[in-house]
Amino acid sequence: SNYVPALALQIRLDLQSGKTGEAEKQAQALLGKPGAAAEARRLLGEIRMAQKRYPEAIAAYREASAQNPTEASVFGLFDALMASGQAADAATLMSGWRDSHPQSRLAAHALGEAWLALKDVTRARAVYVELVRVDPKDARAHNNLAHVLLQLGEPAALVHAEKARALAPNQPQVNDTLGWVLVQQGQLEKGLRY
């Protein structure tokens, strides 16, 4: 029914303003409403994430995804798995989601992040190469590809780090990557400027 989105928004606002108890009470009440259980479980997942209670967040997101596998519940589960150090499960989850949503750049980025966490630079490289091929203006993909190429000892890391900086000059992580690539490639003085 139409009050569910309004209640979900209220729960998120309560959570953002630190009223975790109120958010939880509202989410628990939502659990009992017809057709709202999946959304309520997803919101409970968000609450558990805010509380850093990752195993409970994982359980809530798994239940939400089982009832209604929306992008929000799947990505919530992904984040909870990553936060609890379960990158292999996160990669499996996102791989499956990406198979059924091949156009999702968000899923590709998440999968690349999981491969990086697992130190699987070969798979991460493949994901980021594909992302920059499809959208050459994706600064985040260029930045992460530069990271991967640096780990692989490939000189092209500099090209992608520079491309990321040209696309997103005000992003601190982009500047950090460019500086680190320059330092690693022997351009210490230039690298320290970033």
Side-chain angles (χ1 to χ4, degrees), residues 93-114:
L93 172 74
M94 204 44 66
S95 237
W97 183 258
R98 191 155 179 237
D99 287 346
S100 57
H101 300 81
Q103 302 306 313
S104 172
R105 296 186 62 74
L106 202 57
H109 273 287
L111 186 57
E113 188 185 318

Side-chain angles (χ1 to χ4, degrees), residues 11-27:
I11 291 168
R12 277 197 198 87
L13 290 172
D14 284 343
L15 194 56
Q16 285 170 4
S17 58
K19 299 178 191 166
T20 312
E22 187 57 33
E24 185 160 355
K25 196 170 85 181
Q26 296 282 353

Side-chain angles (χ1 to χ4, degrees), residues 109-123:
H109 273 287
L111 186 57
E113 188 185 318
W115 292 137
L116 281 176
L118 291 165
K119 308 222 181 312
D120 190 336
V121 287
T122 306
R123 282 181 168 156

Side-chain angles (χ1 to χ4, degrees), residues 121-155:
V121 287
T122 306
R123 282 181 168 156
R125 181 183 193 274
V127 168
Y128 293 122
V129 163
E130 178 64 13
L131 278 165
V132 298
R133 187 189 65 75
V134 173
D135 180 7
K137 289 184 168 36
D138 186 336
R140 184 173 157 205
H142 279 288
N143 188 61
N144 290 340
L145 182 55
H147 263 292
V148 169
L149 295 175
L150 184 63
Q151 290 178 42
L152 292 168
E154 294 185 27

Side-chain angles (χ1 to χ4, degrees), residues 18-107:
K19 299 178 191 166
T20 312
E22 187 57 33
E24 185 160 355
K25 196 170 85 181
Q26 296 282 353
Q28 293 289 355
L30 195 56
L31 265 176
K33 305 285 184 207
E39 179 67 1
R41 292 198 190 293
R42 194 175 65 67
L43 289 163
L44 283 169
E46 284 184 38
I47 294 165
R48 297 297 175 247
M49 283 294 286
Q51 296 168 324
K52 298 189 178 355
R53 290 162 61 180
Y54 303 127
E56 292 170 64
I58 291 167
Y61 282 125
R62 279 199 200 282
E63 290 174 19
S65 293
Q67 290 175 336
N68 184 15
T70 62
E71 186 174 84
S73 62
V74 170
F75 279 87
L77 178 54
F78 174 84
D79 290 342
L81 289 166
M82 290 294 285
S84 67
Q86 298 178 48
D89 288 344
T92 301
L93 172 74
M94 204 44 66
S95 237
W97 183 258
R98 191 155 179 237
D99 287 346
S100 57
H101 300 81
Q103 302 306 313
S104 172
R105 296 186 62 74
L106 202 57

